[in-house]
Amino acid sequence: MVTNEDVQRFITAIKMASTYDFSDYSERSFKRRVEKLLIDNHMDINQLSLKISKDKFFLEKVVRDITVNTTELFRDSDMWITLKHQILPKLKKNKSIFIWHAGCSSGQEIYSMLILLHELGMFEQAKVFATDINSEMLESSKAGVYKYRFNLGYLDNFDKVIKENPLNFEETKDVPYEKYFDIDKVKDTIKMKEFLREKVVFRKHDLVNDGNIFYSKFDLVLCRNVIIYFNNKLQNHVIELFNNSLYRDGYLVLGAHESILGPVSNNFDRTKGFYKKKQF
Amino acid sequence: MDYKAVIIGGSAGSFQVITKIIASLPENYSLPVILCLHRLKHVRSGFVEALSIKSKMPILEPNDKDPIKAGKIYLAPANYHMYVELGNRFTLSTEDVVNHSRPSIDLSFSSASYNYKRKLVGIILSGANKDGALGLKAVNDSGGLTIVQDPSDCQVPTMTQAAISATEVDHVYNTRKIIEFLLNLDS
């Protein structure tokens, strides 16, 4: 059984050995992942702390395992349908559209967005940036290869978002999957096409420590199901960063069950999970 | 005993029981009622609406960090784990499934027992897997009160039987007795 002191010692060990700071993560779920980490590595907290201080590769692996990397193609189809019919059309007239996927994990959301942009004829004008705290996750984002069977269910979401029109159920658009990714049932993979993969600028970025590392502001920042792992204080810090990184009238997109609390919420108009930065 | 919260876990066969329970609770029930129910992967919306038809209390799918208040029913959102955080707030998470489930009853119950200690009532209803057994044990270990729906009253008894073998439960009740008990808690 892991105690609160154990969790504190773990956080301190990581802080001493790197720039990562997990002090302001949501406590309950973080503690549970520390427990799981100890079980998976067959170590107690002392052994783990020692190895973290001596072995950089191990430290990166620990950071990968302690952060949560669940993501799906077109996760929450309702959000994508709103994006498709209400948000992106407003940006279409812009010469360039700057998009930041913050905390992109293994990248399924980036490819969902690229596919949608392409279908709306907005692919060329989009400038797409993606960041994650973990370099291994960035590598798998870049590779754009996913388990076919695991993602099978999410192809329904592709159909819902890309092929169907929610305003007219009789209208469907025939978009073959092969336009955007290759399915190999024997190898059990879905591989994103190269023209999608090479579109994205990937950078390592830590929402706790780093500011806006791109020389640009953004029309859209997507950060979905990331700040649920942070406590209120860190959530506010990160929302402040997004607020400063958005153009006026730009949109911050959070997860379906995330919201902005505290004074910074006054800077945004909310419709569903979309936060529009106000004009001041 | 002044309890601070009621938490209820259920899976296959629990929908009708849950509906009966929440239909019986008065509008200003003096405790928060936290529901962690497994649902079919493709039935993600409409669940709150279906439950709300019979309920006098408001039913909410909480956002991350929402405060937990008396007189409200909170339903774990589909495809998220729901923890109770110290300071009486929810934290959501998309971590991997636990016991093939997200939300996992074990995670909600364990975190709630950590926050409320002996001031928690934990109830396990009908279900087809073992999720919730360890969670109910955590409630018991922290001194909270544990209730399991009588397996003979369950459409699917697996979950309640698993809970009964994992820990010494305080009461094994049928649906009617569970409702009576909850109404007696109201102050």
Side-chain angles (χ1 to χ4, degrees), chain B:
Chain B
M1 186 69 209
D2 54 332
Y3 289 103
K4 288 268 180 68
V6 174
I7 187 163
I8 303 176
S11 187
S14 69
F15 185 78
Q16 285 176 344
V17 187
I18 279 288
T19 311
K20 278 187 194 156
I21 291 173
I22 61 180
S24 314
L25 299 177
E27 190 183 346
N28 295 313
Y29 193 64
S30 59
L31 300 172
V33 178
I34 303 166
L35 306 180
C36 185
L37 307 174
H38 298 159
R39 25 185 158 164
L40 295 172
K41 206 163 182 181
H42 293 285
V43 190
R44 285 185 181 174
S45 50
F47 202 69
V48 171
E49 290 77 359
L51 285 177
S52 297
I53 294 171
K54 296 266 176 87
S55 175
K56 297 175 206 83
M57 291 169 74
I59 304 181
L60 310 163
E61 286 183 296
N63 282 338
D64 180 60
K65 305 297 182 291
D66 274 356
I68 302 171
K69 292 178 180 164
K72 295 191 188 327
I73 296 173
Y74 297 97
L75 174 69
N79 220 7
Y80 286 90
H81 292 302
M82 185 171 80
Y83 293 86
V84 174
E85 200 80 35
L86 289 180
N88 230 12
R89 289 172 183 275
F90 290 112
T91 287
L92 302 179
S93 142
T94 60
E95 287 159 278
D96 280 344
V97 294
V98 174
N99 308 318
H100 311 286
S101 312
R102 189 170 57 213
S104 152
I105 300 169
D106 277 346
L107 292 194
S108 291
F109 272 54
S110 305
S111 61
S113 74
Y114 186 81
N115 184 55
Y116 295 114
K117 301 286 186 305
R118 58 198 181 83
K119 300 196 167 179
L120 179 68
V121 177
I123 305 175
I124 294 290
L125 305 175
S126 173
N129 76 2
K130 293 181 175 173
D131 192 22
L134 290 177
L136 198 71
K137 183 173 187 307
V139 175
N140 199 16
D141 292 349
S142 314
L145 189 96
T146 53
I147 299 174
V148 169
Q149 187 187 358
D150 189 337
S152 66
D153 185 49
C154 292
Q155 274 186 30
V156 189
T158 317
M159 207 157 88
T160 49
Q161 280 162 350
I164 291 169
S165 1
T167 189
E168 204 171 303
V169 301
D170 294 302
H171 304 293
V172 176
Y173 283 162
N174 64 21
T175 308
R176 186 180 55 80
K177 290 279 285 180
I178 293 174
I179 292 170
E180 266 177 37
F181 178 88
L182 290 176
L183 288 175
N184 279 333
L185 282 187
D186 191 24
S187 55

Side-chain angles (χ1 to χ4, degrees), chain A residues 153-165:
Chain A
Y154 309 128
L155 294 181
D156 295 346
N157 288 351
F158 178 100
D159 295 350
K160 242 194 240 170
V161 176
I162 298 298
K163 298 186 182 178
E164 292 169 14
N165 178 356

Side-chain angles (χ1 to χ4, degrees), chain A residues 13 15 25 38 40 52 71 77 82 109 113 116 118 147 149 177 180 185 191 207 211-212 217 227 231 235 243 248:
Chain A
K15 240 196 248 183
Y25 272 54
L38 293 176
D40 293 349
I52 283 169
T71 172
S77 49
T82 308
E109 178 190 272
M113 177 64 104
L116 184 55
H118 198 271
K147 286 256 179 266
R149 258 186 298 260
Y177 299 139
Y180 296 111
K185 291 181 186 171
K191 186 171 172 57
L207 287 165
N212 181 352
K217 290 206 171 194
I227 63 168
N231 68 15
Q235 286 191 350
N243 182 37
R248 275 176 301 189

Side-chain angles (χ1 to χ4, degrees), chain A residues 186-221:
Chain A
V186 179
K187 285 193 201 151
D188 190 26
T189 57
I190 293 176
K191 186 171 172 57
M192 295 297 156
K193 294 276 190 192
E194 195 178 352
F195 80 98
L196 298 177
R197 285 185 283 123
E198 65 188 13
K199 176 83 181 169
V200 187
V201 175
F202 291 98
R203 289 281 182 278
K204 194 168 189 264
H205 179 272
D206 180 354
L207 287 165
V208 178
N209 295 315
D210 302 332
N212 181 352
I213 55 170
F214 303 106
Y215 296 98
S216 168
K217 290 206 171 194
F218 296 91
D219 300 288
L220 267 179
V221 174

